[in-house]
Amino acid sequence: MPDPAAAARMLFAARRPGTALNNLPPEALPRDLAEAYAAQDALVALLAVQSGPVAGYKVGCTNASAREMLQLDSPFSGRCFAQEITTAPAMVDSSELHMVGIEPEIAVRIQRDMAPGTAWTDNDAVLCIGEIMPAIEIVESRFATWPLMGILSAVADNGVHRHLILGKGVPDWSREKIERSQVTLSVNGKCVSEGCAANVDGGPFAVVAWLANHLNARGLILRAGEIVTTGVMTDIFDGGPGESISADFDLPGQVTVTVS
C-alpha cells in the first residue's frame, strides 16, 4: 500500500523554495481517491504548523472545463488555512509559488453544523449559510507536470489550493441573486474572462451540499464558522508578476490582487 505520510512529506518539501515534482513515486502514489485523501490529511497536518488551523474548504472541478482539464467526473475538496485566508485588496509574491492560478469564485461562511444523519441538498445548504462573499482562490500545483500528473496527485496535493482572498460580504443576499451572479475578470484593466455562477454544477449551494455529504462520508463535519469556496466561475487564469487583477461581481462586489 502506498505510504500517505511519504506522499505528504514529498508534497510539503516541493513547496517553494523546494523544487516542483514531476510525479509521485510508486511507493507514495495513491491508487484511488480514498488513498489520495489519506495523503491529503497527512499533508494538511504538516501545513497547519506553518499556515494555522484549518478554517474551511475549497471545492474543485465544479465546472465542465475544470473537469475536462483534470479528466474527472466529480468534484474534489481541499482545506483552507487560517493564515492563507486574506481580505481584498491583497498581494501575492509569485516567487513563493510555482504557479499563480486565478479563480473567481463565490465563498460562503457556514452558520450551522452540517452533521451526518441526513442527505444534504441545495435547499438545506441555503439554510446553513450565514454569509456570502465574492472571492478569488489562488491555486498552485506542486507538480511541474500540472495538470498531467493526474487527479489522485492533485487531491493529495490539498486539491492544489494555496490562498483564498475574500471580498466584502454580500448585503441582503438571496438564493436567486447568488445563482444568477456574473463576474468579469480583468488584468491591468483589460477583460480576460467572463463567467457566471451557473457555470458551477448546480450552483454554489449544490456545491456546499456536495461538500457536506462528502465530508460526512469521510466521518467529518462541515462546521459553523468554516468558509467554503465553491468553484471557479470562469476559466482559470495564469497570473504573473506585474499584474493587477480584479474580479468584478454583479452581486455587487470586487476582489483585487496584485501579483509581484
Side-chain angles (χ1 to χ4, degrees):
M1 175 179 176
D3 182 1
R9 289 192 297 270
M10 292 175 192
L11 290 164
F12 185 78
R15 295 196 166 212
R16 288 241 173 129
T19 301
L21 301 167
N22 287 323
N23 51 52
L24 289 171
E27 64 270 18
L29 179 65
R31 298 169 298 182
D32 55 32
L33 280 172
E35 291 181 358
Y37 281 111
Q40 182 186 121
D41 292 344
L43 175 61
V44 165
L46 298 177
L47 292 172
V49 174
Q50 65 181 29
S51 298
V54 171
Y57 295 85
K58 66 80 55 80
V59 185
C61 274
T62 57
N63 69 35
S65 63
R67 284 195 304 275
E68 182 179 358
M69 181 175 65
L70 286 173
Q71 298 182 349
L72 187 67
D73 58 5
S74 66
F76 62 85
S77 69
R79 270 76 155 223
C80 304
F81 300 91
Q83 294 178 25
E84 298 286 357
I85 300 175
T86 57
T87 55
M91 297 190 67
V92 171
D93 184 350
S94 61
S95 69
E96 296 179 350
L97 290 83
H98 293 296
M99 60 179 276
V100 184
I102 303 292
E103 296 192 347
E105 307 195 2
I106 298 290
V108 308
R109 193 184 306 274
I110 303 300
Q111 70 173 355
R112 179 164 66 88
D113 288 359
M114 300 180 73
T118 185
W120 297 101
T121 69
D122 51 349
N123 292 326
D124 298 323
V126 172
L127 301 176
C128 293
I129 291 169
E131 185 180 17
I132 295 184
M133 301 146 285
I136 287 178
E137 183 191 4
I138 306 293
V139 297
E140 179 210 12
S141 174
R142 270 57 65 167
F143 289 90
T145 49
W146 162 265
L148 301 178
M149 75 291 176
I151 186 58
L152 298 178
S153 292
V155 169
D157 191 17
N158 195 32
V160 299
H161 174 74
R162 188 55 187 265
H163 297 295
L164 182 61
I165 303 165
L166 300 174
K168 294 181 180 178
V170 179
D172 302 319
W173 64 268
S174 67
R175 177 172 184 167
E176 292 73 23
K177 176 188 286 189
I178 300 305
E179 291 184 334
R180 296 175 182 173
S181 62
Q182 300 183 46
V183 64
T184 299
L185 184 66
S186 301
V187 178
N188 295 336
K190 180 180 179 181
C191 174
V192 296
S193 187
E194 295 179 321
C196 60
N199 287 337
V200 175
D201 292 339
F205 302 106
V207 172
V208 173
W210 176 88
L211 177 64
N213 290 322
H214 166 70
L215 293 177
N216 290 171
R218 297 193 65 223
L220 303 171
I221 297 174
L222 185 55
R223 297 190 180 278
E226 292 184 320
I227 293 171
V228 180
T229 189
T230 59
V232 61
M233 296 166 61
T234 65
D235 291 332
I236 299 172
F237 177 79
D238 291 326
E243 292 179 336
S244 179
I245 299 170
S246 177
D248 293 279
F249 297 75
D250 67 352
L251 294 169
Q254 184 183 64
V255 184
T256 59
V257 58
T258 300
V259 184
S260 63

